[in-house]
Amino acid sequence: MRVPLLDLCQQNQTLRPGLIGAFERLLSTGQFILGEEVAQFEQQIAAMAGVRHAIGVSSGTDAILLALMALGIGPGDEVLCPSFTFFATAGCVARVGARPVFVDSCPACFNLDMTDAARRVTAKTKAIIPVHLFGQAAAMGEVMELARKHQLAVIEDGAQALGAEYGGQPVGSIGHFGTFSFFPSKNLGAFGDAGMLVTNDDALAERARILRVHGSQPKYYHQLVGGNFRLDALQAALLSVKLPHLASYSEKRQANAAYYTDRLGKIPGVAEACAPECVSHQPSSSQAKMLLPAPHARRTHIWNQYTIRVSGPGRRDALRNHLVKNEIGAEIYYPLPLHRQECFAYLGQPEPGLPQVERLSAECLSLPIYPELTRAQQDWVIEAIRSFV
Ligand SMILES: *Cc1c(COP(=O)(O)O)cnc(C)c1O
């Protein structure tokens, strides 16, 4: 049985009339960049993310870049961020001329280890970028506490977690800025690149809106050097068709995750990772050959990825090959941590090192979890894993 890692066609085909209607509407207006479609979509995202301002941008990456620019972060500044994340989180820090300071990760929830973050703060630290990795909110209570103590700006990278909550608060609404991506593989996927920057701060929102259009205010008069970070009207119109379904997509992902955890958890040698507070993580059960992701009680998980850990030298890659042989898509997010990337060699290696990140990049494997996955397909994945363990 074929089980792809993700199947975008199924989801989009069911929305065909609405999507074609949105395209036809655009065709007759001729307004292709920003405009009413974007403004309406921004309001919808602001409402669901519980923020005053949502600013439609060209990608999740540009949302992070714009946040850093609006905060005035640049050369001489340090920004704390995970090493175990997608490249854009740290890439944007380097692009504004600041220094990414890589922090270790919690082995159970994969998000920032806040004890480690605290010890890497210096007089130059200006901001922290918690990433809500794989769809689960980071330890925002601890993040905000550290930020208050050292007057750091907080940019929540919510690219993978639109709709997730921390202690009842939507991610993206807790820090100074929140960023979202509508890259097609995210829970709310566009038909190309698209993103959103959100904030509750009126002044920061104003600055970000000006920077989105080359820093021009009014048109052709520039007090700031911005860029072209605008969202296309077509992406906004198509995303508005999908947005009402986001909650049900995420619920289906949650149900699929619960099913995996229930069935895989019964296989001898497989255990659920403990869900600690990410401030004093306990070493996870060392006997287990495979650890299942455990959602934390106070943080909702929208399961952009269902990521297991496979211990033992070469075992993760062997399992991936075994799954691929059985026509199952499985992907390694992320095989090379950011502190080991060639482009960041100039930063030197973090001192102390990042032992949890090293382990995670060697052990993590993400399984198919998309909403349209059938039980038969999940059973096929579960049986393939059972025959491997
Ligand atoms: C996808 C992603 C981004 C970048 O979003 P794009 O829309 O692809 O530019 C940033 N951070 C994380 C954690 C992501 O997963």
Side-chain angles (χ1 to χ4, degrees):
M1 189 183 309
R2 213 177 76 79
V3 190
L5 186 65
L6 180 65
D7 180 350
L8 296 171
C9 283
Q10 264 195 70
Q11 182 171 90
N12 293 332
Q13 282 306 327
T14 62
L15 302 173
R16 208 182 159 89
L19 295 170
I20 290 174
F23 178 69
E24 283 177 343
R25 196 167 67 239
L26 253 285
L27 209 54
S28 56
T29 66
Q31 168 80 53
F32 298 131
I33 292 171
L34 298 179
E36 199 44 42
E37 295 281 352
V38 170
Q40 276 178 22
F41 181 58
E42 287 174 340
Q43 279 168 19
Q44 291 160 7
I45 294 291
M48 81 157 288
V51 288
R52 290 160 59 87
H53 306 281
I55 300 155
V57 293
S58 27
S59 68
T61 303
D62 285 342
I64 302 169
L65 188 61
L66 193 49
L68 289 162
M69 289 170 75
L71 288 163
I73 287 166
D77 298 337
E78 293 180 358
V79 178
L80 299 168
C81 68
S83 172
F84 191 65
T85 174
F86 178 63
F87 177 76
T89 314
C92 293
V93 174
R95 284 171 68 190
V96 297
R99 182 181 177 88
V101 174
F102 293 116
V103 175
D104 212 359
S105 293
C106 163
C109 78
F110 310 127
N111 285 321
L112 279 181
D113 171 342
M114 290 309 297
T115 305
D116 190 58
R119 72 175 151 245
R120 293 180 197 272
V121 173
T122 73
K124 294 177 179 170
T125 311
K126 289 286 152 56
I128 180 168
I129 311 184
V131 179
H132 306 298
L133 201 68
F134 302 145
Q136 177 163 232
M140 287 310 294
E142 287 81 10
V143 171
M144 296 313 290
E145 202 181 299
L146 186 74
R148 266 190 293 274
K149 194 167 157 197
H150 300 283
Q151 273 125 49
L152 310 180
V154 178
I155 302 169
E156 296 177 65
D157 181 345
Q160 302 180 5
L162 177 61
E165 293 181 350
Y166 174 87
Q169 275 181 283
V171 304
S173 69
I174 306 165
H176 297 87
F177 274 120
T179 67
F180 298 112
S181 165
F182 307 114
F183 183 80
S185 69
K186 311 291 160 121
N187 284 28
L188 181 63
F191 297 76
D193 281 307
M196 192 68 70
L197 178 63
V198 300
T199 181
N200 278 311
D201 185 309
D202 298 346
L204 285 175
E206 161 93 2
R207 222 172 125 82
R209 282 188 191 279
I210 293 169
L211 287 164
R212 175 173 67 170
V213 286
H214 300 287
S216 105
Q217 167 82 322
K219 209 170 182 182
Y220 305 122
Y221 291 83
H222 304 258
Q223 284 178 27
L224 303 168
V225 178
N228 173 0
F229 303 124
R230 297 176 298 236
L231 176 61
D232 289 348
L234 184 59
Q235 294 302 340
L238 296 171
L239 283 164
S240 295
V241 175
K242 293 185 82 173
L243 183 60
H245 303 278
L246 175 61
S248 83
Y249 296 155
S250 295
E251 277 159 27
K252 284 179 190 147
R253 286 171 180 269
Q254 284 163 346
N256 292 346
Y259 188 71
Y260 271 143
T261 299
D262 178 55
R263 300 300 155 102
L264 292 172
K266 295 194 171 96
I267 300 173
V270 178
E272 219 174 320
C274 56
E277 278 297 338
C278 297
V279 279
S280 60
H281 54 244
Q282 308 126 31
S284 35
S285 143
S286 54
Q287 282 91 343
K289 295 180 195 159
M290 196 178 286
L291 285 172
L292 306 176
H296 191 283
R298 291 190 67 226
R299 314 182 211 159
T300 50
H301 199 324
I302 60 155
W303 301 100
N304 182 244
Q305 301 295 342
Y306 185 91
T307 303
I308 62 171
R309 289 176 52 190
V310 189
S311 57
R315 292 293 285 168
R316 185 268 313 271
D317 294 340
L319 174 59
R320 186 181 181 208
N321 292 339
H322 175 73
L323 294 177
V324 169
K325 251 184 238 139
N326 285 281
E327 299 185 296
I328 296 164
E331 195 52 81
I332 298 166
Y333 302 115
Y334 297 92
L336 187 65
L338 298 186
H339 70 283
R340 299 217 171 269
Q341 298 288 344
E342 199 179 329
C343 67
F344 291 135
Y346 73 94
L347 296 169
Q349 283 304 301
E351 280 296 335
L354 309 176
Q356 298 301 338
V357 170
E358 308 287 358
R359 278 187 64 191
L360 291 176
S361 58
E363 295 184 356
C364 277
L365 188 66
S366 296
L367 305 177
I369 189 72
Y370 62 92
E372 297 77 17
L373 202 63
T374 65
R375 279 289 136 90
Q377 285 176 308
Q378 279 199 283
D379 287 337
W380 179 254
V381 176
I382 292 158
E383 286 317 308
I385 292 174
R386 191 194 308 280
S387 69
F388 176 85
V389 176

